[in-house]
Amino acid sequence: MNNKKQLDDSIEIRKSSIASDGLVISSWNWLNVGDVMSKEVATISPEEVVISAAIIMSDSKISCLVVMDQDNVLGIITETDVLRRVGEKGKDIYQVKLSRIMSSPVESVTSDLSVLEASKIMGDRHIKRLPIIEERKLVGIVTQTDLVRALTSYGLWRDVSEIMTRNIAGIQMHSSVAEAAKIMTTRSISCIMVMDGGDVVGVLTEKDMLGRVVALQRDPADTRMEEVMSFPATSVPSNFSVFSASRIMEDMNIRRLVITKDKHLCGVVTQSDIFMAVRNKLQEEEEKSLRLLEESRNNIYKTDVNGIVTYINPSFMELLEVSGRTEILGRPFLPDQFWYDLEDRERFLQELKKGSIENRELTLNTAKGKKIHVTVFPNYIKDAHGEINGSQGTVYDVTTKKELVALRQAEEELEKLNKDLGSAVRELSQANEELKEFAHVTAHDLKTPLRAIGTLADWLSKDYADKFDEQGKEKIRMLVKRSVQMSALIDDILRYSRVGHDIAKKEQVDFNTVLSEVIAGIAPPENIEITVEDELPVLMCDKTQILQVFQNLLSNAVKYMDKPNGQIKIGCLEQDAFWKFNVTDNGPGIEKKHFERIFKLFQTLSPGDGVESTGIGLSIVKKIVELNGGSVSVESEVGKGSTFIFTLPKQTSRVTAILANNRGAD
């Protein structure tokens, strides 16, 4: 047999490389499979028989063996491979050679593949382990257990009831193992509940069958379930966290947990269920992060530690006037033809490798030969071990600004420069918008550690509640509260930065409908009554912005209400070319000296009274109203309440009259 050809035919190696579409970007610092793999791999010859493999796996407490011919990987033998045949052939299977039943060819990967990429391969191919190949040699193996441990470290806050399997297979305790094996094979499941009438008395797993039947050469047809089952089955309540369930499985070296609610069986959660739930959640977040980058109008790139470009977004392609990513990906930043001065390129790449790069201006050529001036704002990115493994940055086109500066040194062009000042202001505004958008992408990354903190705090509060004294419990509550406050602050900052920068979707908006939606969303407590005193108009505006205005004003009125019978009234008045709206409450009121301050960013008047506020809501109201040509103010008396007033230009249309007539007819 030709060993090289045999190796080529039996394994398919997945390597970490730049994808053909160039979308190599991530919101996480992922571990690689080389960080979590088992380096000690149990192997066996293809000439050995099933009983030998079963004994090795049972004694070593492992679920698979890699089948090798000298240094060549030929296949893999798993508990499932054995189980699939036990129900059909009974004891006859024990002397069958592994070469006849092993899984082949084998899907293999290299050690630099990320754990998320490896989990996608496992999920797509419905496999639970991947041999690690380097330079055509077996160097380790990564299993579903390894990946679950790695992926759950990135956080998962769901309960097991959300991912458990409710359709549970069961068999009576006096039935034969052969019958159970047939059911498990037919339904492609790894365990079966053992029943005594209607009660669960144990569980039979692939591991049980391998160690207690096959390894002992017992006849499955003559072996009863009660003789080999595991009992009692380990169970947890349905509100147990997925994170904690995974840890219990790892500590007890088991792959499934029985889920109970009020002491009644309601489902089972397996390691595969956890694996898929974690993988899907993290994959969803990766795709969301990628969409942000792909849709951004910032010119964004990413390189590895050697300065090789691994990602560019469509806006970056547009800046350099390239037709496809392949013109730039996989090459040092950037290929020669894009540099006006090649010495600049060498200096830039040297700085990348030394880890000392700073913001700098560069002169480049586009693919069509156009000379442009850009400013590069780079950031180093680190791997899961804190080591620098590349950079990610934004490139701003400052060509027009550079030209304007040159003109301002040229006295004969002063007149033309004055005419272009308006254009320069617009360009500076655009640059400001781009910087805010870059802050949006950065803020998205800030929420990553907050999610991990929240997950850990939630896990501790649920699963270790009995381990803390009152002081410890209070600190956990404070930790959860602070992470929630920080997340809310980031969200509010992003909402504030978007106002006026997103494309307005103007339409005819019925303010009565908007107000109904807002009140329903706030769901005020029973002691607070919200009343709409006047019929509200229909205006041409952005519905989302109007929702935000009423949402912030009404939620503030509810949040700060200090009266046992709270009254909040909404009214409007038609005034010349404007509509004047007011939101009045009988709350604590505001001192006159604070009237201007409350509309500024991060200003709140009650930091210590138990009311949580980011101090951004009224700033958003002011920004939206003024962008729409209106104004906002407040009238208040301490102890008696406040009235927030805002105006909007009157922009009624024929639709207004139609809607008004319809309401009158009703």
Side-chain angles (χ1 to χ4, degrees):
M1 180 182 295
N2 186 301
N3 286 340
K4 184 179 186 303
K5 183 178 187 305
Q6 178 174 280
L7 178 62
D8 292 340
D9 291 342
S10 60
I11 65 172
E12 177 185 351
I13 303 176
R14 296 284 189 95
K15 297 181 178 179
S16 178
S17 60
I18 297 173
S20 59
D21 60 0
L23 305 185
V24 182
I25 200 74
S26 175
S27 60
W28 297 91
N29 295 323
W30 292 110
L31 290 166
N32 293 331
V33 291
D35 299 318
V36 301
M37 70 181 185
S38 299
K39 295 182 180 180
E40 298 296 327
V41 185
T43 63
I44 195 168
S45 165
E47 298 302 312
E48 292 286 350
V49 294
V50 170
I51 184 61
S52 301
I55 292 172
I56 293 174
M57 284 192 278
S58 178
D59 291 345
S60 302
K61 293 182 173 57
I62 55 178
S63 62
C64 72
L65 293 170
V66 177
V67 183
M68 305 274 296
D69 179 14
Q70 296 181 2
D71 291 333
N72 298 327
V73 176
L74 300 183
I76 195 166
I77 186 78
T78 69
E79 293 170 342
T80 303
D81 293 323
V82 177
L83 170 65
R84 189 181 298 128
R85 294 162 179 85
V86 166
E88 300 174 357
K89 299 183 180 180
K91 293 186 68 175
D92 293 341
I93 189 65
Y94 299 153
Q95 300 305 317
V96 174
K97 289 186 177 181
L98 299 181
S99 58
R100 292 180 53 190
I101 70 166
M102 68 184 182
S103 296
S104 181
V106 180
E107 183 88 21
S108 300
V109 299
T110 55
S111 60
D112 60 348
L113 199 72
S114 77
V115 290
L116 186 65
E117 290 175 289
S119 71
K120 187 176 189 305
I121 294 172
M122 282 192 185
D124 293 344
R125 299 295 291 271
H126 303 290
I127 54 180
K128 296 184 179 180
R129 66 277 298 168
L130 291 168
I132 313 300
I133 303 294
E134 292 293 347
E135 297 180 355
R136 311 197 69 81
K137 290 185 179 181
L138 179 68
V139 297
I141 190 168
V142 65
T143 66
Q144 189 180 81
T145 301
D146 299 324
L147 293 186
V148 167
R149 184 187 305 117
L151 293 177
T152 52
S153 68
Y154 291 94
L156 190 69
W157 47 91
R158 303 170 67 183
D159 291 343
V160 290
S161 60
E162 298 179 54
I163 67 170
M164 69 183 181
T165 301
R166 299 178 186 273
N167 186 14
I168 307 168
I171 191 170
Q172 291 299 312
M173 62 188 294
H174 300 304
S175 302
S176 70
V177 170
E179 292 175 282
K182 187 173 182 180
I183 294 173
M184 293 166 70
T185 300
T186 301
R187 297 182 59 173
S188 297
I189 55 179
S190 61
C191 71
I192 188 168
M193 295 294 122
V194 184
M195 314 292 293
D196 182 6
D199 297 326
V200 176
V201 294
V203 62
L204 183 74
T205 68
E206 290 177 336
K207 181 178 179 181
D208 296 328
M209 194 172 298
L210 187 78
R212 298 170 184 173
V213 180
V214 180
L216 300 178
Q217 301 189 55
R218 300 175 69 170
D219 188 341
D222 293 333
T223 304
R224 304 296 103 189
M225 298 292 292
E226 58 190 319
E227 301 174 46
V228 295
M229 68 181 183
S230 293
F231 66 92
T234 304
S235 64
V236 296
S238 59
N239 63 350
F240 216 60
S241 72
V242 171
F243 184 87
S244 298
S246 174
R247 288 294 177 263
I248 286 179
M249 289 186 192
E250 182 178 349
D251 293 342
M252 298 185 67
N253 193 27
I254 56 178
R255 298 177 212 159
R256 74 274 304 153
L257 291 170
V258 174
I259 309 303
T260 59
K261 185 175 183 180
D262 299 327
K263 298 184 180 180
H264 295 293
L265 174 68
C266 62
V268 63
V269 65
T270 68
Q271 188 181 72
S272 294
D273 295 328
I274 294 177
F275 172 74
M276 293 302 295
V278 178
R279 191 203 74 163
N280 292 342
K281 177 65 178 177
L282 295 177
Q283 185 68 41
E284 178 184 319
E285 293 194 8
E286 286 291 270
E287 292 170 357
K288 181 178 179 181
S289 174
L290 178 58
R291 284 195 302 272
L292 280 173
L293 293 172
E294 287 290 287
E295 295 169 2
S296 173
R297 292 308 301 163
N298 285 326
N299 312 306
I300 300 172
Y301 72 90
K302 181 181 178 183
T303 72
D304 65 15
V305 71
N306 295 314
I308 304 298
V309 180
T310 57
Y311 172 81
I312 55 172
N313 71 344
S315 184
F316 193 96
M317 294 170 58
E318 183 180 334
L319 172 69
L320 292 183
E321 298 182 314
V322 297
S323 57
R325 288 184 168 96
T326 54
E327 296 183 44
I328 296 177
L329 292 181
R331 305 180 187 182
F333 186 94
L334 291 160
D336 289 357
Q337 66 268 30
F338 294 101
W339 290 85
Y340 184 78
D341 185 345
L342 287 179
E343 291 185 1
D344 282 347
R345 179 177 188 255
E346 293 304 316
R347 283 192 292 269
F348 188 83
L349 290 176
Q350 287 298 321
E351 290 175 353
L352 272 180
K353 294 177 180 178
K354 291 179 180 178
S356 59
I357 194 169
E358 298 179 354
N359 302 345
R360 62 179 302 168
E361 290 189 358
L362 298 172
T363 302
L364 302 174
N365 298 320
T366 70
K368 296 181 179 179
K370 177 183 175 182
K371 181 181 176 181
I372 59 174
H373 301 282
V374 299
T375 301
V376 182
F377 294 88
N379 285 299
Y380 282 105
I381 53 179
K382 298 181 179 181
D383 61 22
H385 304 289
E387 299 293 331
I388 293 176
N389 66 352
S391 70
Q392 177 176 319
T394 303
V395 179
Y396 294 107
D397 183 0
V398 295
T399 303
T400 305
K401 300 181 185 67
K402 294 283 288 188
E403 292 173 350
L404 288 175
V405 170
L407 288 172
R408 191 161 45 212
Q409 291 167 347
E411 292 182 356
E412 65 273 20
E413 295 293 334
L414 284 177
E415 183 178 353
K416 182 180 178 181
L417 177 61
N418 288 331
K419 293 179 181 179
D420 290 341
L421 283 177
S423 175
V425 170
R426 287 192 297 274
E427 290 173 1
L428 288 171
S429 297
Q430 180 181 353
N432 185 49
E433 291 175 6
E434 292 172 345
L435 286 170
K436 289 178 179 177
E437 188 175 355
F438 183 70
H440 174 76
V441 175
T442 304
H444 172 268
D445 291 340
L446 287 176
K447 298 193 76 173
T448 297
L450 282 178
R451 284 194 292 270
I453 292 171
T455 296
L456 182 58
D458 183 61
W459 169 51
L460 289 172
S461 66
K462 283 186 176 181
D463 301 332
Y464 289 85
D466 59 338
K467 304 296 191 301
F468 292 111
D469 56 16
E470 284 304 314
Q471 184 179 11
K473 291 178 181 178
E474 179 59 27
K475 291 186 181 299
I476 288 294
R477 285 192 290 269
M478 289 176 62
L479 177 60
V480 173
K481 181 178 179 182
R482 293 296 181 264
S483 63
V484 170
Q485 287 177 333
M486 181 59 75
S487 181
L489 177 60
I490 293 173
D491 288 339
D492 279 353
I493 291 173
L494 290 179
R495 276 193 285 271
Y496 182 83
S497 68
R498 289 194 199 104
V499 176
H501 298 283
D502 292 337
I503 298 176
K505 298 179 180 178
K506 293 201 172 184
E507 57 183 309
Q508 292 290 345
V509 177
D510 186 346
F511 278 39
N512 299 281
T513 302
V514 168
L515 199 53
S516 296
E517 293 178 15
V518 172
I519 294 173
I522 292 175
E526 294 182 358
N527 70 309
I528 298 178
E529 181 183 13
I530 299 180
T531 306
V532 181
E533 297 188 313
D534 303 301
E535 187 73 7
L536 303 184
V538 177
L539 298 179
M540 178 67 76
C541 57
D542 187 313
K543 181 178 179 181
T544 300
Q545 291 184 348
I546 299 306
L547 277 167
Q548 286 183 287
V549 170
F550 280 113
Q551 168 71 32
N552 284 311
L553 291 177
L554 290 178
S555 62
N556 273 359
V558 171
K559 184 189 305 179
Y560 290 99
M561 179 59 66
D562 62 345
K563 305 296 190 300
N565 295 312
Q567 297 288 329
I568 301 174
K569 299 179 181 180
I570 301 101
C572 73
L573 179 67
E574 191 174 3
Q575 288 187 338
D576 299 327
F578 288 85
W579 283 97
K580 181 179 179 181
F581 301 87
N582 58 78
V583 177
T584 302
D585 64 71
N586 63 338
I590 303 169
E591 292 184 54
K592 187 174 182 179
K593 64 181 180 180
H594 298 309
F595 283 5
E596 291 185 7
R597 183 164 76 94
I598 60 174
F599 291 102
K600 296 180 180 180
L601 276 172
F602 307 116
Q603 298 298 315
T604 178
L605 301 182
S606 52
D609 63 359
V611 177
E612 295 181 6
S613 174
T614 60
I616 297 179
L618 290 179
S619 301
I620 293 176
V621 171
K622 185 175 187 293
K623 191 173 184 180
I624 290 175
V625 170
E626 291 180 350
L627 282 172
N628 283 275
S631 62
V632 63
S633 61
V634 63
E635 297 174 357
S636 182
E637 185 175 348
V638 175
K640 294 185 178 181
S642 305
T643 297
F644 285 86
I645 303 163
F646 68 94
T647 63
L648 290 175
K650 188 191 302 179
Q651 298 179 25
T652 58
S653 69
R654 182 171 177 270
V655 176
T656 308
I658 293 173
L659 290 173
N661 290 336
N662 287 341
R663 287 195 293 269
D666 292 339

